[in-house]
């Protein structure tokens, strides 16, 4: 599995001299599976450059799958600027959490109404299919995907991807128990334990860590994790590598370096070998794992190919 970060910033794009190393674009991660399946995690402003690169690659029409965690702006603002959607013969499936009152398509169409953007979703020239997800599992190409609700201020799904390696993409997430954001994760028998089980034994976890414990009291209820919570949770889950992600727009490159140094110190003190780094725009990672497919899951199978009509998980309820 190959991973490339096109946007690592949280909340709002933040270009400028202070963010050149870790990047100013909002969430967008390209994933290429061992079998060549193209998946894109979130469609923040980083999707613009990804779309340009896909079109310029000279490989012909793209066939891809866009997995959206939730429809806050920083995760969808790149959609109207994602070039493959405007090109005939290209084919994209878009997945995201089923809304309470609107379908995924309706919500995405909302940001492309005429007061906001000159072209509506009807202007997509590509073949585009929308899939409203609830938590559970589905197969896309050679990738097994488990979607799990995250504790956030909107309906949000995290995604666990498995080909011959395992990747968990968990943004945005706030601990259910606020004290764990302050002290770091420890098992409590509550729903944060379920979150740790979602991360369990992954080769790489990409996780929201927008705040520090010191910052958290002013940010409680905003829907985000602290680095202390995430480092402890990844360690408890025996994760191999942890990418700190969804960088706060107020944290410049040097401040992110300090965040990583603090995280490493916390792991050293715990005697952990977990590798931690901050996700940087443009960074590529090759993941190799050895976990058999049968060991993954815990949720129901969606039971439908991504090529099928409608939402693979739409009628399945919670796993
Ligand atoms: Zn966000
Ligand atoms: Zn959000």
């Amino acid at each position: 599995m190959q991973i490339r970060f096109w946007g690592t910033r949280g909340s709002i794009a933040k270009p400028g001299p202070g963010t050149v190393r870790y990047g100013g674009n909002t969430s967008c991660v390209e994933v290429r599976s061992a079998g060549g399946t193209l998946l894109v995690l979130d469609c923040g402003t980083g999707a613009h450059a990804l779309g340009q690169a896909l079109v310029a690659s000279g490989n012909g029409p793209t066939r891809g799958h866009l997995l959206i965690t939730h429809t806050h702006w920083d995760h969808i603002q790149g959609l109207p600027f994602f070039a493959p959607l405007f090109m005939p013969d290209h084919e994209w499936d878009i997945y995201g959490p089923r809304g309470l009152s609107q379908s995924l398509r309706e919500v995405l169409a909302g940001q492309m109404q005429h007061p906001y953007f000159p072209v509506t979703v009807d202007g997509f020239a590509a073949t585009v299919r929308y899939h409203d997800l609830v938590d559970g599992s589905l197969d896309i190409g050679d990738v097994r995907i488990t979607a799990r609700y995250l504790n956030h201020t909107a309906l949000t799904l995290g995604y666990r991807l498995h080909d011959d390696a395992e990747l968990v993409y968990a943004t945005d997430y706030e601990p259910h128990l606020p004290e764990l954001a302050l002290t770091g994760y420890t098992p409590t028998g509550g729903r944060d334990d379920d979150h740790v089980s979602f991360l369990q034994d992954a080769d790489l976890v990409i996780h929201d860590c927008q705040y520090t414990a010191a910052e958290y009291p002013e940010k409680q209820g905003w829907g985000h994790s602290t680095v202390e919570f995430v480092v402890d949770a990844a360690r408890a889950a025996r994760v191999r590598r942890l990418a700190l992600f969804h960088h706060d727009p107020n944290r410049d490159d040097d401040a992110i370096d300090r965040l990583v140094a603090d995280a490493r110190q916390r792991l050293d003190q715990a005697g952990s070998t977990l590798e931690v780094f901050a996700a940087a725009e443009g960074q590529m990672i090759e993941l190799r794992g050895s976990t058999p497919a049968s060991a993954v899951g815990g949720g129901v199978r969606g039971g439908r190919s991504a090529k099928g009509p409608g939402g693979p998980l739409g009628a399945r309820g919670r796993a």
Side-chain angles (χ1 to χ4, degrees), residues 3-266:
I3 293 143
R4 182 165 181 180
F5 293 102
W6 293 87
T8 62
R9 192 65 46 180
S11 302
I12 190 169
K14 187 67 184 244
T19 60
V20 289
R21 285 192 289 119
Y22 291 104
N25 281 298
T26 60
S27 304
C28 184
V29 182
E30 176 188 4
V31 178
R32 302 268 181 174
S33 74
T37 304
L38 170 59
L39 300 143
V40 178
L41 301 168
D42 276 332
C43 205
T45 63
H48 175 261
L50 169 59
Q52 296 296 314
L54 290 172
V55 170
S57 68
N59 293 329
T62 53
R63 172 80 180 96
H65 304 269
L66 175 53
L67 293 156
I68 292 174
T69 57
H70 62 306
T71 53
H72 281 164
W73 279 337
D74 52 324
H75 301 260
I76 63 166
Q77 271 186 325
L79 193 79
F81 299 92
F82 189 58
L85 298 179
F86 296 91
M87 307 191 72
D89 303 326
H90 292 235
E91 195 175 339
W92 283 81
D93 286 87
I94 303 179
Y95 308 78
R98 175 198 286 173
L100 294 174
S101 58
Q102 287 183 302
S103 69
L104 176 67
R105 184 186 187 282
E106 287 170 330
V107 176
L108 294 176
Q111 75 161 350
M112 294 176 70
Q113 290 174 354
H114 279 300
Y116 310 113
F117 197 73
V119 184
T120 69
V121 290
D122 293 327
F124 290 150
T127 299
V128 178
R129 289 178 289 265
Y130 300 86
H131 305 273
D132 291 53
L133 301 184
V134 294
D135 60 355
S137 297
L138 69 154
D139 295 315
I140 298 178
D142 61 324
V143 185
R144 183 85 191 279
I145 294 171
T146 302
R148 190 71 61 85
Y149 283 120
L150 303 182
N151 188 44
H152 191 48
T153 53
L155 269 177
T156 301
L157 289 170
Y159 296 107
R160 184 171 177 126
L161 279 53
H162 181 223
D163 58 356
D164 59 356
E166 289 197 77
L167 164 68
V168 176
Y169 180 69
T171 189
D172 307 6
Y173 180 87
E174 180 168 357
H176 288 269
L177 290 176
E179 55 264 39
L180 298 186
L182 296 168
T183 62
Y185 170 76
T186 188
T188 61
R191 285 181 288 177
D192 292 304
D193 293 1
D194 297 336
H195 185 64
V196 168
S197 71
F198 183 53
L199 314 182
Q200 190 71 41
D201 295 319
D203 297 298
L204 174 65
V205 168
I206 300 169
H207 204 292
D208 165 17
C209 69
Q210 185 149 356
Y211 301 127
T212 65
E215 294 162 349
Y216 184 72
E218 288 191 351
K219 312 290 186 183
Q220 186 176 337
W222 291 24
H224 297 289
S225 288
T226 61
V227 65
E228 290 84 355
F229 171 84
V230 174
V231 164
D232 290 0
R235 181 169 61 83
R238 300 181 187 279
V239 167
R240 284 174 53 199
R241 300 168 88 185
L242 170 64
L244 307 179
F245 188 75
H246 206 271
H247 307 309
D248 189 87
N250 287 322
R251 206 175 314 281
D252 65 14
D253 289 334
D254 291 344
I256 292 175
D257 285 341
R258 290 194 292 274
L259 202 71
V260 173
D262 290 348
R264 288 195 179 124
Q265 187 177 33
R266 190 174 181 88

